[in-house]
Amino acid sequence: MSINLSTMPKLGFGLMRLPQKDGKIDIEQVCRMADAYLDAGMNYFDTAYVYHDGHSEEAVKEALAKRYPRDRFMVATKLPAWQLKEEADRDRIFSEQLERCGLDYFDFYLLHSVEDGNNGDTYERLRCYDWALEKKAQGKIRHFGFSFHGSPEYLEKTLDAHPEIEFVQIQLNYADWENPVVRSGRLYDILHRRHIPMIIMEPVKGGTLAKLPPELEAKYRAFRPDASAASWALRFVGSLPGVMTILSGMSAEDQMLDNIRTFSHFEHLSDEEKALIDEVRSIMLDKPLIGCTSCRYCTPGCPRHIAIPDVFRAVNTMTLYNDVFRPKAFYAGLLSQGCGKASDCIACGQCEGVCPQHLPIIELLKDAAARFDQENQP
């Protein structure tokens, strides 16, 4: 069953950052937000087994399944690799998800966070792709895809191996377009070239692009006085061909209403507006970075097998994009591949002797160790 893009709402309601009250999800406010969203003619709700420690799926039951006929809304949820030990876990979790959500089937079902290494290997080892197709044949899943956090190379490999994939969810926003860890632009290009519909997560980068420094906010206000910074980020993503639905993890009613305004009468970016976003991005990313060119002259002779250029890439990403999670995950991936930790450096100096950029690598690795290996520090 192919996806009819014309019926998909451009704005999806992400249920990862729901409003809280007294340490629990504020169901009353979620219901009001869901009502406003549905009243605006939109109907795509995205949750996951692990969001809000499982309570996000329960919110689907309370805000939607108990209050609306099934054909008024679509629900997407995800199977987490890190909760799977054996094949039987697939059905156990899936049954639990249906019960939590109060549903008989899911409109969209995703393998959660496919990426190089552990998660990707787990989904392959436990035959999760074949299992999902079986669920689809049973009518328990309408559409099957995955969310992705890996390398462009692994995305190509996975798509080649699994032509049954109907859609892919990726992180994409104007700040991460050339991010060397997230690599949003390259992932987008791969999917667009293959004509695979995209669902976009983190369009405002966890709220970072909704709360800009005053001088950058002023640039947007001067052009569109009544438009929020978040609306610029959402319009950037919504103007890209091939984007099916854009998820916003809304945690307050004012965010919901602002996003509805953006998408109710959606306007693609003009060339002048694209240039302004480029200017804002350039100012945002104008920060001092490690001047490593990844020539890799330093790595063959390292007695501790430290992937020095890759460690510096993680440091630069953390500095440049105000991001901690993805660089740390990238760094953990290096260690899982057998590379040494930054704190393993014995200051032998061979790397500095061959570095064409004459970088103080020993000191820079100490800084990297402080960022990534703190739990290993004395």
Side-chain angles (χ1 to χ4, degrees):
M1 183 189 301
S2 61
I3 301 172
N4 184 351
L5 296 183
S6 66
T7 66
M8 295 296 296
K10 206 70 168 177
L11 174 66
F13 190 168
L15 306 179
M16 185 174 71
R17 301 183 179 95
L18 294 173
Q20 307 253 339
K21 183 178 181 181
D22 299 325
K24 297 180 180 180
I25 294 174
D26 185 346
I27 291 295
E28 289 186 7
Q29 187 173 172
V30 172
C31 288
R32 292 195 299 271
M33 293 168 68
D35 292 346
Y37 175 72
L38 289 165
D39 288 346
M42 305 173 195
N43 63 348
Y44 186 92
F45 296 82
D46 173 86
T47 184
Y49 185 72
V50 296
Y51 291 171
H52 287 279
D53 293 324
H55 299 301
S56 174
E57 290 181 331
E58 294 171 355
V60 169
K61 178 188 288 187
E62 298 302 320
L64 298 172
K66 289 184 176 181
R67 302 174 64 241
Y68 285 96
R70 185 63 180 90
D71 60 0
R72 279 293 308 276
F73 59 90
M74 296 185 290
V75 174
T77 194
K78 310 173 188 76
L79 181 73
W82 53 97
Q83 300 278 352
L84 303 176
K85 304 301 180 186
E86 57 186 10
E87 290 188 0
D89 291 331
R90 304 170 308 185
D91 280 324
R92 175 183 60 79
I93 290 174
F94 190 81
S95 296
E96 188 177 350
Q97 290 177 302
L98 288 174
E99 173 61 28
R100 284 178 177 177
C101 293
L103 303 176
D104 295 323
Y105 67 90
F106 292 113
D107 303 272
F108 291 76
Y109 199 78
L110 299 82
L111 302 183
H112 201 164
S113 192
V114 171
E115 57 187 334
D116 321 47
N118 289 340
N119 286 1
D121 293 345
T122 296
Y123 291 129
E124 296 289 353
R125 177 174 58 83
L126 297 180
R127 298 178 51 255
C128 292
Y129 293 89
D130 292 338
W131 169 83
L133 289 180
E134 292 168 5
K135 292 296 181 190
K136 186 176 176 184
Q138 296 165 7
K140 297 296 185 180
I141 295 173
R142 295 289 173 88
H143 300 289
F144 172 52
F146 57 75
S147 64
F148 191 78
H149 285 290
S151 68
E153 295 77 16
Y154 191 67
L155 177 59
E156 295 264 30
K157 178 181 176 181
T158 304
L159 294 174
D160 287 341
H162 297 287
E164 68 271 21
I165 291 299
E166 298 177 76
F167 65 95
V168 175
Q169 183 168 309
I170 60 171
Q171 177 175 327
L172 191 154
N173 54 68
Y174 66 76
D176 282 326
W177 188 257
E178 296 180 353
N179 184 322
V181 170
V182 179
R183 291 166 281 194
S184 292
R186 289 187 61 192
L187 298 180
Y188 169 82
D189 289 341
I190 290 168
L191 295 169
H192 185 49
R193 171 168 44 83
R194 291 174 177 252
H195 305 290
I196 296 176
M198 286 169 261
I199 295 175
I200 304 303
M201 54 186 161
E202 302 294 352
V204 293
K205 198 171 172 60
T208 301
L209 302 182
K211 298 177 181 178
L212 297 174
E215 64 273 15
L216 298 183
E217 184 105 16
K219 289 182 176 295
Y220 285 147
R221 292 289 185 190
F223 197 98
R224 280 184 172 244
D226 298 327
S228 66
S231 72
W232 284 84
L234 293 169
R235 290 177 61 224
F236 171 85
V237 178
S239 297
L240 295 170
V243 168
M244 183 170 71
T245 295
I246 303 162
L247 300 177
S248 179
M250 294 168 277
S251 56
E253 291 175 77
D254 60 338
Q255 294 174 4
M256 170 65 74
L257 295 176
D258 182 54
N259 289 349
I260 288 174
R261 280 193 295 270
T262 298
F263 285 97
S264 292
H265 305 285
F266 187 81
E267 296 180 54
H268 285 76
L269 292 174
S270 66
D271 289 342
E272 192 174 1
E273 288 173 320
K274 291 176 184 177
L276 179 55
I277 286 179
D278 286 342
E279 179 186 350
V280 168
R281 172 171 49 204
S282 178
I283 295 171
M284 284 177 61
L285 304 184
D286 184 20
K287 298 177 182 177
L289 303 175
I290 299 172
C292 175
T293 60
S294 294
C295 69
R296 310 197 81 85
Y297 294 171
C298 56
T299 55
C302 177
R304 297 296 187 178
H305 307 291
I306 303 170
I308 297 169
D310 301 303
V311 171
F312 290 167
R313 190 200 312 181
V315 171
N316 281 344
T317 301
M318 187 177 286
T319 301
L320 198 58
Y321 296 94
N322 192 30
D323 186 3
V324 174
F325 174 75
R326 293 311 306 173
K328 286 194 172 183
F330 176 77
Y331 181 79
L334 297 176
L335 304 189
S336 71
Q337 297 166 28
C339 298
K341 301 189 295 291
S343 56
D344 289 340
C345 175
I346 59 173
C348 69
Q350 78 81 28
C351 53
E352 294 187 356
V354 297
C355 178
Q357 308 304 318
H358 307 293
L359 297 174
I361 295 175
I362 294 170
E363 289 302 313
L364 291 171
L365 285 175
K366 288 180 181 178
D367 174 64
R371 294 171 183 254
F372 298 114
D373 296 332
Q374 286 184 341
E375 67 277 12
N376 300 313
Q377 301 303 306

